Amino acid sequence: MIRGRADVQTSLWPAEESLAGNYFVSTYPPFSTWTEDQLGQVRRVLGQPPPPGDAPPLGLYVHVPFCVKRCDYCYYLSYAGKPTRDVDAYIDGLLRELDTFARTPALARRRLDFVYFGGGTPSLLTPLQLNRLLGGLQAVMSWTEVREVTFECAPQSVTPERLAVLREHGVTRISLGVQQLDDDVLRRSGRVHLTADVERAWLAIRSADFPIVNVDLIVGLPGETEASLDAGLERVIAMQPESVTIYQLEIPQNTPLFRHWRDGETPVEPADWPTKRARLDRAFARLEQRGYVVRSAYAAVRDPARHAFVYQDAQYAGADLLGIGVSSFSYIAGVHFQNVADLERYLARLSGGDLPLQRACALSWQERLIREFVLQLKLGAAGAARFRHRFGVDVLEYFAEPLSRFAAAGLLNTDEGGVTLTREGLLCVDRLLPAFYLDRHRSVRYT
Ligand SMILES: C[S@@+](CC[C@H](N)C(=O)[O-])C[C@H]1O[C@@H](n2cnc3c(N)ncnc32)[C@H](O)[C@@H]1O
Ligand code: SF4
């Protein structure tokens, strides 16, 4: 049975808080409002060089959609068990796609500021494939001057050989998908790794000496208890990663976890949102006691001055982002666009000489302002001066109604410096953001 959960904040929110569904906001406007009709806008922006001396930073996202097996909770696009030749063909596709983009007037003279390899499981590629992919991409667009190159790894696939290739190609930040350090929880979530794999991977990663290592965790996984979570977090803290990211489990309707639950096949109800928020709150408090600093709604770092997350900070500040790979999305010169979400179609479009685009959304001035405001809130604060400077707007006046409602509920504070979320607000930030959207975007599906 799918139940909404009534808690003290529900009345502030546009919809009942259901256990199932996606709440995480990656960007604005919602993906469901992007259309094929607007693809002409992509051709328009790609055809124009950026104004001299005035281009924002540019990032590259590379989607690697392969996993050993799909985890029960995961909603990212990836394929399990693909043979090597399919992965090789996909690498060819990525190289061709970047080459096509790099020839457009909009991108031809731009230099990359940050790069992110996400998935799927990028660390599943063999050392040979990694060499070909990372070397091939850099031959098209150099990343000698980048501020950060992040690479997502899953514990079982971390080997010294793969790490050596990543280091040689300038990867600066490893993000390791640990999720939890409890074998029962990991098994029940359909993960292929166990805690012993994390320990082995961790030793290899530390020996390779990457400047920043992030550990991804999830609260709310099946079988988790407060005690198992606390014990796992203690072990993570003992590992001393530079950054710890903690997501609250989402249960999207296209996942096995959702289906098991709907069909009554899960022995225990999944944790509800207030429980997940309370557990994340405890985890943040524990990290803070041990010297970490909370830097966003999802992450704590050991040293904020050194352990930046450029990919996130730059995107949230309005940087351009080119996303390549199946289903990847981009944001260039105020236009969002997304690739087709099917591997065969993605490759077929590229081999026919086309960009594999599916839908787009050209943002109005107002939508850009809202996009940047909600993305800044995910970092915990939106400074008034930044919005006066970039948009000529006083955000305290512009968003006065939702801001006063959330301030009265203790979710944020405002002063002449701007808006700062309280810890309570930060823990539920993705639930608050639709209140800042244009009316027509407030009740639409997100994806
Ligand atoms: C693409 S995955 C990371 C890399 C690698 N595939 C792995 O799982 O170890 C990115 C992160 O998204 C998070 N994630 C995936 N599914 C989620 C869900 N349903 N709810 C919350 N976080 C989720 C996990 O923490 C995961 O590490
Ligand atoms: S969580 Fe990671 S390993 Fe699991 S299916 Fe998703 S992308 Fe693959």
Side-chain angles (χ1 to χ4, degrees):
M1 187 179 59
I2 301 158
R3 282 191 278 110
R5 160 83 202 201
D7 78 38
V8 70
Q9 288 149 9
T10 305
S11 60
L12 292 165
W13 293 335
E16 259 221 328
E17 196 175 33
S18 155
L19 287 185
N22 289 81
Y23 293 102
F24 189 87
V25 172
S26 315
T27 193
Y28 174 81
F31 292 94
S32 65
T33 66
W34 304 13
T35 61
E36 202 178 338
D37 294 358
Q38 296 188 65
L39 284 175
Q41 298 287 345
V42 182
R43 294 188 189 99
R44 177 183 62 78
V45 289
L46 290 178
Q48 289 168 357
D54 199 23
L58 172 67
L60 175 67
Y61 172 82
V62 184
H63 191 65
V64 182
F66 304 109
C67 293
V68 174
K69 169 180 171 290
R70 300 274 306 148
C71 304
D72 289 351
Y73 54 78
C74 180
Y75 54 85
Y76 289 89
L77 178 74
S78 77
Y79 302 87
K82 286 278 183 198
T84 307
R85 65 171 183 285
D86 289 9
V87 180
D88 284 334
Y90 185 73
I91 293 173
D92 291 340
L94 288 173
L95 297 177
R96 185 182 288 216
E97 189 185 359
L98 184 64
D99 188 60
T100 310
F101 275 117
R103 290 169 193 275
T104 60
L107 298 171
R109 292 176 185 281
R110 303 276 301 271
R111 60 168 196 83
L112 287 174
D113 197 44
F114 56 96
V115 182
Y116 191 102
F117 290 85
T121 310
S123 56
L124 264 193
L125 270 51
T126 63
L128 217 65
Q129 288 169 331
L130 288 173
N131 228 330
R132 197 159 76 81
L133 176 61
L134 275 66
L137 293 173
Q138 289 179 85
V140 179
M141 275 182 110
S142 148
W143 68 53
T144 46
E145 292 173 59
V146 291
R147 287 194 286 154
E148 175 187 281
V149 180
T150 296
F151 201 92
E152 283 183 357
C153 295
Q156 257 193 352
S157 53
V158 169
T159 63
E161 295 72 25
R162 286 181 169 115
L163 294 172
V165 179
L166 300 183
R167 203 71 178 98
E168 261 163 46
H169 282 288
V171 170
T172 60
R173 184 173 181 278
I174 292 288
S175 184
L176 184 67
V178 169
Q179 318 313 350
Q180 293 215 0
L181 280 172
D182 182 295
D183 285 347
D184 180 48
V185 173
L186 292 169
R187 283 198 193 95
R188 286 202 211 195
S189 311
R191 289 293 289 184
V192 292
H193 81 260
L194 295 174
T195 50
D197 297 303
V198 175
E199 280 158 15
R200 195 191 41 76
W202 190 255
L203 289 178
I205 290 171
R206 279 311 196 204
S207 318
D209 204 21
F210 289 90
I212 298 184
V213 185
N214 168 68
V215 165
D216 268 356
L217 301 177
I218 300 181
V219 292
L221 285 176
E224 154 195 318
T225 61
E226 259 183 35
S228 71
L229 203 60
D230 284 356
L233 189 60
E234 271 312 311
R235 286 170 75 181
V236 169
I237 293 172
M239 286 153 53
Q240 285 286 289
E242 283 70 31
S243 155
V244 180
T245 301
I246 311 179
Y247 297 107
Q248 298 178 53
L249 180 73
E250 308 222 304
I251 311 182
Q253 305 203 350
N254 58 356
T255 55
L257 190 59
F258 173 77
R259 290 191 290 275
H260 297 327
W261 169 44
R262 183 195 55 194
D263 302 342
E265 291 163 10
T266 20
V268 255
E269 280 268 293
D272 58 25
W273 288 99
T275 305
K276 288 186 273 198
R277 286 195 280 274
R279 289 188 178 163
L280 178 56
D281 194 21
R282 257 169 83 93
F284 274 165
R286 191 170 278 244
L287 282 159
E288 284 173 331
Q289 278 162 12
R290 309 298 278 274
Y292 283 79
V293 176
V294 173
R295 72 178 302 281
S296 75
Y298 321 98
V301 294
R302 274 205 344 245
D303 179 355
R306 289 190 302 135
H307 305 149
F309 184 16
V310 177
Y311 172 73
Q312 185 180 63
D313 291 348
Q315 258 194 91
Y316 289 4
D320 282 346
L321 178 73
L322 175 63
I324 59 169
V326 61
S327 82
S328 288
F329 75 86
S330 303
Y331 181 70
I332 306 280
V335 178
H336 262 314
F337 48 96
Q338 187 178 26
N339 281 346
V340 293
D342 173 85
L343 187 57
E344 316 301 60
R345 278 177 63 210
Y346 169 79
L347 293 175
R349 293 276 293 274
L350 283 164
S351 36
D354 284 344
L355 283 173
L357 304 176
Q358 182 181 25
R359 55 183 179 174
C361 174
L363 279 70
S364 64
W365 170 88
Q366 216 178 4
E367 288 167 334
R368 289 187 209 192
L369 162 67
I370 296 170
R371 178 183 187 272
E372 198 160 315
F373 185 74
V374 299
L375 294 178
Q376 284 293 301
L377 285 184
K378 284 160 74 79
L379 295 174
R386 128 180 239 113
F387 289 91
R388 268 198 303 276
H389 172 68
R390 284 176 60 80
F391 296 92
V393 159
D394 177 349
V395 283
L396 298 179
E397 263 176 39
Y398 196 87
F399 296 112
E401 189 279 321
L403 287 176
S404 65
R405 205 156 26 103
F406 293 146
L411 299 170
L412 53 81
N413 293 308
T414 57
D415 60 22
E416 66 283 359
V419 183
T420 308
L421 291 172
T422 60
R423 182 57 55 88
E424 201 185 345
L426 195 65
L427 294 169
C428 61
V429 64
D430 289 286
R431 297 286 294 159
L432 307 182
L433 301 181
F436 300 101
Y437 293 3
L438 292 179
D439 281 349
R440 66 172 184 279
H441 291 144
R442 228 169 266 162
S443 50
V444 299
R445 264 187 312 112
Y446 182 62
T447 50

